[in-house]
Amino acid sequence: MNFKNIDYKILSIVSVLFLIGIFSLSDKGLFNKVPAYSHNLIYKQIFWFIISLSIFFISHWLGYQRFIELSPFLYLFSLCLLLLVLLIGPIKSGAQRWLHFGGLNFQPAEFSKLAAILILTRYFVFHKDEIKKTKIFFISLGMILPLAGLIFIQPDLGSAFILFPVFICLSLLCGVKKKNLLILFLLAILFSPLFWGILKDYQKKRLLVFINPHIDPLGAGYTIIQAKIAIGSGRLWGKWWWKGDNQFSFLPESHTDFIFASLGEKWGFLGGALVILLYYLLVKKIIEAGILAHNLAERVLAVGVATLIFSHFFINIGMCLGILPVVGIPLPFISYGGSNLVVNMLALGMVSSFKKEV
């Protein structure tokens, strides 16, 4: 492997985001004497980062072309994993989203997002000369729907939803007729009552409390209210992580879905602004890789990865601020958990493989 070709700017931004996540988790495990290694969030997250770094370098070495060639297999593999989750996956908090491998938990929905980007990239590039045809648009949409449906059943509304911004951005980039996207939008509105009817009760409550969290302040609206309070209490400078006062222990999922609220409490407005700036720089670098691309496949893949990461951080921060419904989306590279981290690093390794020596 030629390490000169690696995009170290992307790697540096990701490393800083990861360190911010580690410091945000500090009162969850860094200063607690936990006898068992597997119970320490900090050490487990560092372990996952080391694994994801290895995967980044392997992905870069293999090159994005290899993954696009294998995309039909990866797509079918992701479908099998999602079906396997529904058959043998453990149920946690009413959701069935994980598989156990050798003592580790893996969330196939995360891998499915990348598989969707790869199969769409392959399909759009292969059919670039007939991209205006309505048939091509709806066949590509048909590739996404099985993934979205299986993820929705788990239920994981957030991960299922993210597949559609990715699909729309890639469709627009490749030049599909905007009329087809309008038809898709109208169909979504037409079937929205049916969609509402198949939602779980807690999902309906989450959407309702998004409009007014105070209709259920001790139930579905609790996390939204407490997240806003935590972010507001951080003010400009925050309370700082080393004080160890653990003021944020009242909010559930403060190490995963609501870690930005925890970060806002500890580091205040300036800390939150720094995180948003880092995500801006990361997405900008990925888009630049697409702009400088030598072919359509690189451009489509870059936009897909950029949309995936942007959608995650935008929705996650929106949840914490109360401007978007709570749908259970992790904050990339910062939230605790290995599946999202590994998949994102795999995707960034592909983007890094675009870079050629001058």
Side-chain angles (χ1 to χ4, degrees):
M1 181 190 300
N2 189 345
F3 289 97
K4 291 182 180 179
N5 289 339
I6 292 177
D7 196 327
Y8 285 103
K9 291 182 179 179
I10 286 179
L11 207 52
S12 299
I13 296 170
V14 167
S15 298
V16 174
L17 287 170
F18 172 77
L19 288 175
I20 290 173
I22 289 295
F23 286 127
S24 297
L25 288 170
S26 60
D27 63 348
K28 298 291 179 184
L30 187 61
F31 301 117
N32 296 335
K33 294 182 179 180
V34 181
Y37 166 82
S38 61
H39 295 300
N40 194 307
L41 298 181
I42 299 297
Y43 296 153
K44 288 177 73 174
Q45 191 68 354
I46 291 173
F47 167 78
W48 277 116
F49 188 67
I50 293 172
I51 296 297
S52 66
L53 270 180
S54 302
I55 289 175
F56 174 90
F57 289 120
I58 293 172
S59 174
H60 173 89
W61 174 62
L62 291 174
Y64 74 94
Q65 300 97 329
R66 185 73 57 85
F67 290 96
I68 292 178
E69 290 170 3
L70 293 173
S71 60
F73 168 77
L74 296 175
Y75 174 80
L76 293 174
F77 181 62
S78 66
L79 284 174
C80 291
L81 287 178
L82 292 173
L83 287 170
L84 200 60
V85 167
L86 298 176
L87 292 174
I88 65 171
I91 299 176
K92 298 180 180 179
S93 302
Q96 199 171 10
R97 303 174 183 173
W98 297 270
L99 290 175
H100 290 310
F101 293 110
L104 299 175
N105 293 328
F106 176 70
Q107 193 170 359
E110 298 296 338
F111 177 74
S112 298
K113 299 169 190 174
L114 182 56
I117 293 173
L118 291 170
I119 194 68
L120 285 175
T121 299
R122 178 187 174 93
Y123 186 76
F124 283 144
V125 170
F126 187 77
H127 295 280
K128 60 183 178 181
D129 295 330
E130 47 184 348
I131 196 67
K132 297 290 185 181
K133 293 183 179 179
T134 301
K135 178 183 72 173
I136 299 300
F137 173 81
F138 282 101
I139 290 176
S140 61
L141 177 62
M143 295 176 178
I144 297 301
L145 292 179
L147 295 174
L150 289 173
I151 295 172
F152 179 78
I153 293 172
Q154 293 180 356
D156 187 352
L157 180 59
S159 293
F161 171 79
I162 275 183
L163 291 173
F164 292 97
V166 169
F167 171 75
I168 291 170
C169 287
L170 295 189
S171 298
L172 289 172
L173 173 69
C174 293
V176 302
K177 289 183 178 179
K178 295 182 176 62
K179 179 185 71 175
N180 292 328
L181 289 172
L182 178 60
I183 293 172
L184 178 62
F185 177 72
L186 294 175
L187 287 174
I189 295 176
L190 180 63
F191 286 100
S192 58
L194 176 62
F195 173 75
W196 178 261
I198 61 178
L199 287 177
K200 302 286 186 180
D201 288 340
Y202 78 90
Q203 292 174 323
K204 292 179 181 179
K205 287 182 179 179
R206 283 182 174 182
L207 294 175
L208 290 174
V209 299
F210 163 65
I211 301 172
N212 181 13
H214 295 281
I215 63 175
D216 190 13
L218 298 180
Y222 177 79
T223 50
I224 299 176
I225 294 171
Q226 300 302 338
K228 290 180 180 179
I229 292 173
I231 293 173
S233 69
R235 299 191 179 183
L236 182 63
W237 299 100
K239 298 178 178 178
W240 297 97
W241 61 274
W242 60 70
K243 288 184 178 180
D245 53 4
N246 197 20
Q247 294 290 324
F248 199 67
S249 58
F250 50 78
L251 180 61
E253 308 300 331
S254 61
H255 61 302
T256 53
D257 297 345
F258 287 90
I259 197 168
F260 183 78
S262 176
L263 186 153
E265 183 194 42
K266 293 170 184 173
W267 291 351
F269 173 81
L270 294 179
L274 173 63
V275 168
I276 293 173
L277 175 62
L278 288 170
Y279 280 118
Y280 164 76
L281 293 175
L282 177 60
V283 173
K284 180 173 178 286
K285 283 295 299 178
I286 299 171
I287 294 297
E288 286 176 352
I291 292 174
L292 299 174
H294 295 80
N295 55 60
L296 179 61
E298 290 183 358
R299 288 195 293 274
V300 176
L301 185 57
V303 170
V305 174
T307 304
L308 182 66
I309 293 176
F310 174 82
S311 298
H312 272 82
F313 100 80
F314 181 80
I315 293 174
N316 181 278
I317 293 176
M319 290 191 317
C320 293
L321 294 176
I323 61 175
L324 289 175
V326 176
V327 289
I329 291 294
L331 190 60
F333 313 108
I334 293 181
S335 289
Y336 172 76
S339 301
N340 184 261
L341 180 60
V342 167
V343 169
N344 284 334
M345 292 297 278
L346 176 63
L348 290 178
M350 297 180 203
V351 174
S352 179
S353 71
F354 297 173
K355 195 171 182 180
K356 307 294 190 300
E357 288 186 347
V358 179

